[in-house]
Amino acid sequence: MLRTVKPRNARVKRALAAREPKEVEDARTAVFVKGTTGSEVLNGVMKDLLALKKPHAIPFSKKNTIRPFEDTASLDFWADKNDASLFVCSQNTKKRPNDLIFARMFDHKVLDMIELGVENFVPMVDFKTPKAQPGIRPVIHFGSELFDTHPRYMQVKSMFLDFFNGSPMTAVSLAGLEYVISITLAPTPPNLNLEDTSAPSSDLPLIHFRCFTVRLLASGVRTPRTELVPMGPSLDLRLRRHQDPDPEVLKQAMKQPKLKKADITSGLGKKVKNKEVDEMGDVRARIHVKKQNLDKLQTRKMKGLKPTQMEIDGEASDSDMDPIAGDGEDS
């Protein structure tokens, strides 16, 4: 029997209601945790990632002894206490220098994790350019086909999309597009096996993480000309360890609520044939038309297709002309 918490007052009742599952989830909250040993590079990376994630971010000021790949009890406890679904942990050791661990939670339990090593870092303060406002949802660009074919990079893409995905939006204003996150890869080795997830990290291409602000300039037409200006941070990341989600838990995490009757009638449900929703959220429909007999199609009844008086006179004059005589001579 599941244990149910009975609210003692209205404030506790509202807090419990905010944690209940919703059809449209709120923006994910990320907790930034520093390990016992750090470095100047990791401190700068955590500071810049925190600035990009605000206001949905909770930084821990004290250092903590954490080893997420060996024991996840601390992450589970912090996720339940802070109602957080994402974690970023930093640790600097001799074996794994400048180490970042991204963890994703489901039901206050660790779902999956990826470990990234920072090999090159340029902080945001080194870019003397305008910065985006906190809380603005970015445009995320993935510039390699491996993000859709290789399992390791598919997990990285899913993690970054969940990390920087803000509140749901029904419309996008052009003036609201303030910055772009570009995630690309180094040249792919020709001998890379797309199905081998146990390949050493040295054989996998680097991940280039870049941020740009969007400048809208006059172009002489209604659509402005767009320029991208680097704003930082700039990161080069190396894939290290990873933990795949449990298939049964992932199935529960991907489960969607039943569609309402209004959604079904609008073409978003499974009961409406030949309609589907693409990745951009647009409804696509397929129309099947039966074979038509064009011989019975009456086009002359249309006013625009009626023959003019000049055409009628031309046909009459052609019919009154004598047939062309043959080449034979008169007898």
Side-chain angles (χ1 to χ4, degrees), residues 194-215:
L194 299 181
E195 298 181 357
D196 186 11
T197 59
S198 61
S201 59
S202 58
D203 296 341
L204 299 175
L206 279 174
I207 300 174
H208 302 302
F209 183 94
R210 305 290 187 266
C211 294
F212 304 89
T213 54
V214 179
R215 293 181 58 190

Side-chain angles (χ1 to χ4, degrees), residues 27-317:
R28 295 175 178 266
T29 302
V31 177
F32 290 78
V33 185
K34 295 181 180 180
T36 54
T37 57
S39 65
E40 185 178 356
V41 172
L42 282 181
N43 292 335
V45 172
M46 296 286 281
K47 179 181 178 182
D48 288 352
L49 291 179
L50 178 65
L52 295 177
K53 185 59 179 173
K54 283 183 177 180
H56 307 290
I58 301 175
F60 283 2
S61 58
K62 295 183 179 180
K63 295 182 179 180
N64 297 269
T65 304
I66 51 172
R67 295 180 179 88
F69 284 92
E70 287 77 21
D71 185 15
T72 62
S74 298
L75 298 184
D76 298 341
F77 172 75
W78 291 330
D80 190 12
K81 183 178 180 180
N82 298 279
D83 194 20
S85 57
L86 293 169
F87 279 86
V88 183
C89 307
S90 64
Q91 187 80 11
N92 184 41
T93 60
K94 185 177 180 180
K95 185 177 181 180
R96 297 183 181 89
N98 298 329
D99 197 47
L100 283 178
I101 298 176
F102 289 82
R104 183 164 40 184
M105 317 296 290
F106 173 70
D107 196 17
H108 303 147
K109 303 293 181 182
V110 172
L111 178 65
D112 61 341
M113 292 185 291
I114 59 173
E115 187 180 46
L116 304 173
V118 181
E119 296 199 356
N120 187 23
F121 170 64
V122 181
M124 193 181 296
V125 295
D126 289 356
F127 294 88
K128 308 302 180 182
T129 55
K131 304 299 186 289
Q133 299 179 5
I136 298 297
R137 190 172 179 178
V139 177
I140 305 178
H141 167 256
F142 293 92
S144 176
E145 61 180 6
L146 292 181
F147 287 114
D148 297 324
T149 55
H150 197 280
R152 294 291 306 276
Y153 291 101
M154 291 171 63
Q155 186 182 16
V156 172
K157 178 182 178 180
S158 176
M159 184 71 71
F160 278 126
L161 285 177
D162 280 350
F163 188 83
F164 292 104
N165 189 19
S167 303
M169 303 172 62
T170 57
V172 178
S173 174
L174 189 60
L177 302 178
E178 292 196 8
Y179 74 105
V180 177
I181 296 177
S182 176
I183 304 175
T184 58
L185 297 181
T188 305
N191 58 349
L192 181 63
N193 186 5
L194 299 181
E195 298 181 357
D196 186 11
T197 59
S198 61
S201 59
S202 58
D203 296 341
L204 299 175
L206 279 174
I207 300 174
H208 302 302
F209 183 94
R210 305 290 187 266
C211 294
F212 304 89
T213 54
V214 179
R215 293 181 58 190
L216 302 178
L217 304 177
S219 61
V221 295
R222 185 175 182 180
T223 304
R225 182 167 59 90
T226 305
E227 287 187 358
L228 299 180
V229 181
M231 81 166 190
S234 175
L235 295 168
D236 290 340
L237 306 172
R238 173 74 67 183
L239 285 177
R240 291 178 181 172
R241 295 179 294 176
H242 74 288
Q243 176 180 319
D244 293 327
D246 182 79
E248 294 297 329
V249 179
L250 181 62
K251 184 178 179 181
Q252 292 293 328
M254 300 296 291
K255 187 177 181 180
Q256 297 181 357
K258 294 183 179 180
L259 295 173
K260 298 180 181 179
K261 184 178 180 181
D263 295 335
I264 295 176
T265 56
S266 62
L268 299 179
K270 297 181 180 179
K271 294 184 179 180
V272 180
K273 294 183 178 180
N274 302 322
K275 284 189 178 182
E276 59 182 7
V277 182
D278 59 9
E279 296 179 355
M280 301 301 295
D282 299 328
V283 179
R284 302 290 182 179
R286 182 180 299 176
I287 301 176
H288 298 276
V289 181
K290 296 182 180 180
K291 187 177 180 180
Q292 298 180 353
N293 187 6
L294 301 180
D295 296 335
K296 298 181 180 180
L297 186 63
Q298 298 180 1
T299 59
R300 289 296 181 179
K301 288 186 176 181
M302 296 179 61
K303 186 176 181 180
L305 297 178
K306 287 185 178 180
T308 60
Q309 187 64 34
M310 185 178 297
E311 293 177 350
I312 296 175
D313 296 341
E315 293 177 358
S317 60

